[in-house]
Amino acid sequence: MIARVTWTSALIASALLLASCGSKPPKSLVTPLPPVAKHPLPNKPDDNRPVRGVWLTTVSRLDWPPVSSVNVSNPATRASLQKKALTDKLDNLQRLGVNTVFFQVKPDGTALWPSKILPWSDMLTGKVGEDPGYDPLQFMLDEAHKRGMKVHAWFNPYRVTTNIKPSTVAELNRTQSLHPSSVYVAHRDWIRVSSDRYVLDPGLPEARDWITSIVAEVVARYPVDGVQFDDYFYTETPGSTLNDSQTFRTYGQGFASKADWRRHNTEQLITQVSRTIKQLNPNVQFGVSPAGVWRNRSHDPSGSDTRGAAAYDESYADTRLWVQKGLLDYIAPQVYWPFARDAARYDVLAKWWANVVKPTHTRLYIGVALYKVGEPSRNEPDWTVQGGVPELKKQLDLNDSLPEIQGTILFRENNLNQPQTQQAVNYLRNRWGS
């Protein structure tokens, strides 16, 4: 036990070193180190329950905290309101039969825990770096675990901001005097613009090490059940592409194309984060929630019979390879289409992913588009038929019928509270609830 504590302290120390070294490249966390335990501890009896999950989003306060709470001037009152809102949500999820919450703890370049690496999230107080007076991650863990629910800390690895407005830049610059300050001011040379937001350049080894150190900080300090990355690796739009030409000239030697180099960079991040988590705590699950289409068969015979935007080609994430290499404990593809959507049929994609994980030890959870339920759509009218219940039932029935699919995750929590989803919510409660 003493050796474990000492080694854990050493890893955290090296994680914190990454945050403080602005002038010299940080020491890599991927140097082989002695594992915490020779073998993972045995699974708890309930570890094999099918995951009935929900994503709880904090970016732009989409699910939590309540926007109204941020404008409360009294810090104690504000914290109380935010805690009450969260426990109300957990009570509701418990009644629904949800057993796993994927809680967004790093929505951008800020944190929802007292980090030594990232400033406090402005989602909590309206100001980057302002202490909210409590630890939201610890509060979530305490309250969810009390209710028998697991919590996966959900990180957006590369996003720094959701826009590039002058007011956003001014807010980031105001963190210059804080410890820690925003990565935008601490490591300006790592920052790029992509998809009209500030992001880290995934081609920089220092940036990947920095992200790894953030995950290490959480896994070492908190009893999280899992860690998840979403699908924002390389994110571009035609009008706002990532300018990583200089990074490619520096680090891209030996690659046939920039696309191959980018996919290598993404795999490097996944590999070192996976290794670091297992060194700190072999029982913490590591997963990724990518876009539902890996590749279309028209581009690759191994791909799915679909015509959707593909993670391999659009996000430079070879998610299928990560599964095959055993880098992930689970993968949760976002299969956000109905059975009748010919370009990306739900059943086609769910079965394709089931075949991918079949020869591996990677668990498969399917992300389902709760946010579309009850919403009129010319291309996907099924979501409004009988309140979306028949479509939802078909998707859950298929998930339950395939042994390779070990769970379903709903995107996203606040959609459970909307008028248009109530028929579907009642159906879920009858199906999942106690």
Side-chain angles (χ1 to χ4, degrees), residues 353-417:
W353 280 107
N355 285 328
V356 168
V357 303
K358 197 170 190 174
T360 76
H361 295 293
T362 307
R363 296 182 183 188
L364 173 61
Y365 313 137
I366 303 290
V368 167
L370 177 69
Y371 71 98
K372 289 185 175 181
V373 170
E375 291 289 345
S377 167
R378 191 178 64 181
N379 293 325
E380 300 179 5
D382 311 76
W383 295 115
T384 55
V385 175
Q386 296 176 47
V389 172
E391 179 62 36
L392 185 61
K393 180 181 185 303
K394 276 200 297 186
Q395 296 191 6
L396 296 179
D397 285 349
L398 179 64
N399 292 0
D400 289 349
S401 73
L402 295 174
E404 294 81 16
I405 297 178
Q406 294 177 286
T408 300
I409 312 174
L410 306 172
F411 186 82
R412 55 188 172 79
E413 184 277 333
N414 200 42
N415 291 97
L416 294 167
N417 310 312

Side-chain angles (χ1 to χ4, degrees), residues 96 370 373-374 383 386-389 392 396 416 419-430:
L96 199 64
L370 177 69
V373 170
W383 295 115
Q386 296 176 47
V389 172
L392 185 61
L396 296 179
L416 294 167
Q420 69 271 18
T421 63
Q422 290 318 293
Q423 283 178 261
V425 170
N426 289 334
Y427 172 74
L428 280 170
R429 192 177 293 114
N430 289 329

Side-chain angles (χ1 to χ4, degrees), residues 88-100:
D88 284 350
K89 286 180 181 294
L90 290 174
D91 287 341
N92 186 43
L93 294 174
Q94 188 178 25
R95 285 190 294 270
L96 199 64
V98 166
N99 58 29
T100 311

